[in-house]
Amino acid sequence: LFANNQRLLAPALLRAITEIGGAALSHSVLDHVSQSLARHYNDRITATEPAERLRELAKILQEEGVLVDFVESDGRFALHERTCPFVDMVDEGRAVCAVEQRMMEQVAGAPIKPVACRLDGCPGCTFELDLVPLAGTRP
């Protein structure tokens, strides 16, 4: 009954924004989308510490139907998505992945780094919050 081509829309929109307005506009739009998503989740999160905020985000994502685990190991905290909420929208440049990463940073209130991606053949996407500063780096 319904066409299965919605996966074409987000990459086409991102290409059009970049082609018409350039890379700066594209980055601005993606930042705005990240902020909008972060507001959606921040309204439902009560924790103040980054790791606990990430844990609460994982719970909310589960409620929304994402298969996600919050993992804690050796002072590191990670959110491991076994399903991607945006898999049908991923473009060649992985802009949607960057949107999700930035949204998580805004929700956690701390840097998040992608450490695994299903697009690279991994079983899922993993985003890590590392609260243990490395030697020789600024906190």
Side-chain angles (χ1 to χ4, degrees):
L1 294 173
F2 299 99
N4 190 17
N5 62 358
Q6 59 269 38
R7 63 182 161 65
L8 303 174
L9 182 60
L13 283 170
L14 292 172
R15 276 192 305 276
I17 290 168
T18 302
E19 289 170 11
I20 293 168
L25 177 61
S26 180
H27 290 300
S28 179
V29 168
L30 294 175
D31 284 340
H32 186 78
V33 171
S34 296
Q35 292 169 13
S36 179
L37 291 171
R39 280 191 302 275
H40 167 77
Y41 294 113
N42 278 330
D43 288 345
R44 300 167 59 191
I45 292 177
T46 60
T48 57
E49 295 298 317
E52 287 306 310
R53 292 183 66 76
L54 195 61
R55 183 187 312 269
E56 286 186 26
L57 175 62
K59 184 178 178 192
I60 293 168
L61 290 172
Q62 287 173 348
E63 292 168 1
E64 292 180 347
V66 179
L67 295 177
V68 62
D69 298 308
F70 178 82
V71 181
E72 181 178 348
S73 176
D74 298 326
R76 295 181 186 271
F77 305 91
L79 200 149
H80 176 71
E81 295 177 336
R82 292 179 277 147
T83 57
C84 176
F86 308 112
V87 72
D88 286 338
M89 294 183 242
V90 174
D91 61 304
E92 306 85 33
R94 299 183 186 189
V96 173
C97 301
V99 165
E100 187 174 27
Q101 176 190 354
R102 284 182 254 170
M103 174 274 294
M104 288 181 193
E105 289 178 334
Q106 292 171 28
V107 169
I112 300 282
K113 63 182 176 182
V115 294
C117 181
R118 63 185 305 125
L119 298 175
D120 295 327
C122 299
C125 296
T126 302
F127 297 90
E128 186 177 274
L129 166 69
D130 187 356
L131 299 177
V132 180
L134 299 174
T137 62
R138 287 193 263 171

